[in-house]
Amino acid sequence: MKNPTISIVHFRSYPLVILAGFLLSFCTNTNDKSSKRNADPGLILQSLLQNSPDPSSECVRSYRAEEACLKQTADLPQIDEPGLSEILSGNKTSTYSGYCSSLLSSESFTKLNPKAQECVFSCNESYWSELRSANRCTGQSSDLISGSGSDSLSCIRNCSSISSGL
C-alpha cells in the first residue's frame, strides 16, 4: 500500500508509527525458524565478539546511514540531522544522540541487554547501507522507511537471542 504522493507533513505526523512498526517486527515471534535461516549471522556474531557493546554509538551510526539514504529521495533531499531527529522524536530533540538516548531508555529497549540493543541498530544500519550500495535510495522516503525487507526483520528478530544469552 504505497502512496507516492505522501507529503513531509504527513510523514512528520507518523514517526512513532514507523518506529513502532520497526520495533513490533522485532518483538514478534522470535522462535520462527524460517526467519532465522535468512538472518545475517555475521551481524550477530560481530555483536557477540565485541568486548564492550556501545548501543548509543551504533544507534547514531544507523541514523546517519538512514540520513545519507533519505537525502537521495524525492521528498527529503535536504534532510539533515536536526530535521530527521525532530521527525523521529516528534520534535523533542534535534540530535541523533538525544533521540538515541530517548530510544534506548524506552520500554522496548530496556528489556534488551546492551549487546542486543547494539545488534538492533546494526541491522538498521545494514538496511540503509545496503539500499545506498544498490542505488535504491530513490522515490518517496516513506516507501523506504516502511520497506524494510524480511532479511532486515529477521536480523532484528535474531538480536533477541543475544539478549537471551544464546
Side-chain angles (χ1 to χ4, degrees):
M1 225 186 216
K2 296 179 180 178
N3 184 354
T5 61
I6 192 163
S7 70
I8 188 67
V9 173
H10 183 74
F11 178 75
R12 283 183 186 254
S13 65
Y14 292 101
L16 293 178
V17 173
I18 294 166
L19 177 62
F22 189 69
L23 292 175
L24 179 64
S25 67
F26 161 72
C27 295
T28 58
N29 197 3
T30 58
N31 294 323
D32 181 3
K33 292 180 181 161
S34 66
S35 67
K36 288 184 180 182
R37 273 186 275 144
N38 294 328
D40 182 2
L43 283 175
I44 294 173
L45 182 59
Q46 175 187 354
S47 180
L48 287 173
L49 294 176
Q50 287 183 332
N51 291 331
S52 56
D54 190 357
S56 183
S57 292
E58 188 60 33
C59 178
V60 170
R61 276 192 295 277
S62 75
Y63 287 107
R64 289 194 196 290
E66 181 175 352
E67 174 190 329
C69 186
L70 293 178
K71 282 183 178 215
Q72 297 175 30
T73 62
D75 58 340
L76 293 177
Q78 302 299 319
I79 196 72
D80 57 6
E81 181 172 348
L84 185 55
S85 296
E86 289 173 359
I87 289 170
L88 294 169
S89 71
N91 291 320
K92 293 179 183 167
T93 185
S94 62
T95 65
Y96 296 139
S97 179
Y99 177 65
C100 289
S101 177
S102 169
L103 193 56
L104 286 166
S105 65
S106 71
E107 185 180 339
S108 297
F109 278 93
T110 57
K111 64 184 176 182
L112 301 173
N113 67 38
K115 285 195 181 286
Q117 293 171 343
E118 183 179 68
C119 178
V120 169
F121 295 118
S122 291
C123 295
N124 189 41
E125 180 182 15
S126 177
Y127 169 73
W128 290 105
S129 295
E130 287 174 21
L131 283 178
R132 281 190 69 211
S133 294
N135 293 319
R136 292 181 33 222
C137 295
T138 58
Q140 298 295 313
S141 58
S142 59
D143 293 339
L144 298 175
I145 291 168
S146 64
S148 181
S150 62
D151 289 343
S152 182
L153 297 177
S154 295
C155 178
I156 292 168
R157 284 186 191 116
N158 282 312
C159 292
S160 67
S161 59
I162 292 172
S163 193
S164 304
L166 287 176

